Amino acid sequence: MIEVLAFATTVVCGLLALGVLLTAAAGRYRWRAVRPALAGVELAVLAQAVADVCGQLAGHRMAEQLTHNAYLATSLLVLPVTATQIARDNGRWAGLLLAAALIALAVVVVRMQTTWRVGGG
């Protein structure tokens, strides 16, 4: 687990969610405008997943291994699944759905950090 990357991912998800909510409320949300930022977040989550798996292969054990791995899988799927639903929609509800997914991803990353630390090592 890369702590700095996890923190940065959480902060970026929160700020991006806020930005999407504000633009959606103003009726100015556009999928094309947020797509590059989402790709960057997904790359950060993928890098975190690779580091996490390497850490587990190197012998790091968590108290709740199954829970941690479920969070890991969820972190990789949240944005792609949401993107498939809103990719062609520029409406307010699409922006709201994306903001909810970003907040959910931020929470999942924080939970991953917590379950990683519980086991120590």
Side-chain angles (χ1 to χ4, degrees):
M1 191 89 199
I2 304 170
E3 296 288 330
V4 173
L5 183 58
F7 178 76
T9 303
T10 303
V11 169
V12 169
C13 283
L15 292 174
L16 196 54
L18 182 61
V20 167
L21 279 174
L22 292 174
T23 58
R28 300 184 53 93
Y29 166 78
R30 298 293 176 259
W31 166 250
R32 287 184 171 209
V34 296
R35 190 171 46 188
L38 295 179
V41 169
E42 189 64 25
L43 284 175
V45 169
L46 184 60
Q48 186 72 306
V50 169
D52 193 301
V53 170
C54 289
Q56 289 184 42
L57 292 175
H60 182 86
R61 296 290 173 245
M62 283 75 59
E64 299 178 29
Q65 186 85 30
L66 186 61
T67 302
H68 181 81
N69 289 334
Y71 284 135
L72 181 63
T74 301
S75 73
L76 292 171
L77 295 174
V78 168
L79 288 182
V81 168
T82 304
T84 61
Q85 299 302 309
I86 63 168
R88 293 186 181 96
D89 191 358
N90 289 322
R92 288 187 173 142
W93 289 108
L96 183 63
L97 179 62
L98 180 57
L102 286 163
I103 292 167
L105 180 58
V107 170
V108 167
V109 170
V110 169
R111 290 296 304 144
M112 278 177 45
Q113 281 183 286
T114 304
T115 56
W116 182 266
R117 289 185 193 135
V118 169

